[in-house]
Amino acid sequence: MAKILKYLLTAMSLAAFCRCGTNDRGIEKVHEDWMSEDCMNGYCIVSDSLLSGLADSQGNVLVSPTYGRLFFLTGDVLAGYESSGWTFIDTNGRALAETGGNIDDEPDSLLAEYQKIRRRQDLAWDRIVAGYETFCEACAEPDADADDVQMLSDSLMREISMTEGIMSPQQRRRIEVALDRYRERRRAL
């Protein structure tokens, strides 16, 4: 009974926001002839019968229908298939990672692949964050050598340019802490 009620409420809320065109802020809205599929955490997969995209609960199109297959892997990560393979995106439509595969790949195998990619990305970002912490420490020294600092900076920039994905909230926090420590030490000089 609860599942049926949830489905009906979702269907009614989708019907309430379906309209064509753009709103006054220029945000593309869900078209009347699009179908809605899976919904999760205020987001719905929408389809124009051939391709799938993503909309929020207000009917704003976050990802235009571009994927031959699209589904939620987690509450905030989706897997979308295009001819070149799978793209993992967040609910803002930002690409997080890509992998090869076929349109009939199973969600469980894609989730495992995404988790493997995400672990590699986390390790790469951990190295970058550690490098940034070292960079801040070196810069905060009263006798910091400009050539050494430049070499650290160049190394960090190279690593960042080759790294995919996004930093975790914990990694961002470490960056903020390192910057705060640098500023405190520089003020004390």
Side-chain angles (χ1 to χ4, degrees):
M1 180 68 165
K3 286 185 178 183
I4 293 171
L5 182 59
K6 181 180 176 183
Y7 172 78
L8 289 175
L9 289 173
T10 301
M12 288 185 327
S13 68
L14 285 173
F17 76 65
C18 286
R19 50 191 172 279
C20 293
T22 59
N23 66 14
D24 58 351
R25 292 176 292 147
I27 298 172
E28 184 181 3
K29 300 301 273 188
V30 171
H31 294 251
E32 290 174 358
D33 58 341
W34 288 1
M35 300 171 289
S36 64
E37 300 170 23
D38 296 331
C39 294
M40 185 177 283
N41 296 336
Y43 299 96
C44 290
I45 294 174
V46 293
S47 172
D48 65 5
S49 79
L50 294 175
L51 301 173
S52 296
L54 185 68
D56 65 16
S57 60
Q58 287 77 46
N60 299 315
V61 175
L62 305 172
V63 177
S64 293
T66 54
Y67 296 104
R69 186 172 175 208
L70 181 68
F71 52 84
F72 286 94
L73 289 177
T74 67
D76 58 355
V77 176
L78 296 95
Y81 183 81
E82 292 179 291
S83 60
S84 59
W86 290 95
T87 301
F88 302 107
I89 61 171
D90 65 14
T91 51
N92 292 316
R94 180 178 45 191
L96 303 173
E98 295 178 348
T99 190
N102 300 307
I103 196 165
D104 58 350
D105 287 342
E106 291 297 319
D108 289 344
S109 67
L110 288 167
L111 178 59
E113 179 65 19
Y114 173 71
Q115 290 169 335
K116 193 174 6 173
I117 291 169
R118 190 68 195 126
R119 279 191 296 277
R120 283 194 310 263
Q121 290 174 345
D122 278 343
L123 289 173
W125 282 108
D126 277 342
R127 285 190 304 272
I128 290 168
V129 171
Y132 183 77
E133 290 166 335
T134 301
F135 175 75
C136 286
E137 288 171 15
C139 290
E141 293 296 323
D143 58 345
D145 181 69
D147 290 334
D148 290 345
V149 169
Q150 184 65 49
M151 195 168 29
L152 282 170
S153 173
D154 291 345
S155 174
L156 272 173
M157 293 304 289
R158 248 188 327 278
E159 184 113 14
I160 290 170
S161 71
M162 295 184 298
T163 302
E164 296 179 345
I166 57 174
M167 276 191 271
S168 70
Q170 296 84 1
Q171 291 163 333
R172 282 193 205 104
R173 181 69 189 130
R174 284 176 55 198
I175 292 279
E176 292 167 3
V177 167
L179 183 58
D180 288 345
R181 285 184 184 150
Y182 160 77
R183 287 177 177 155
E184 287 173 15
R185 289 182 64 193
R186 292 304 296 174
R187 274 190 222 115
L189 293 179

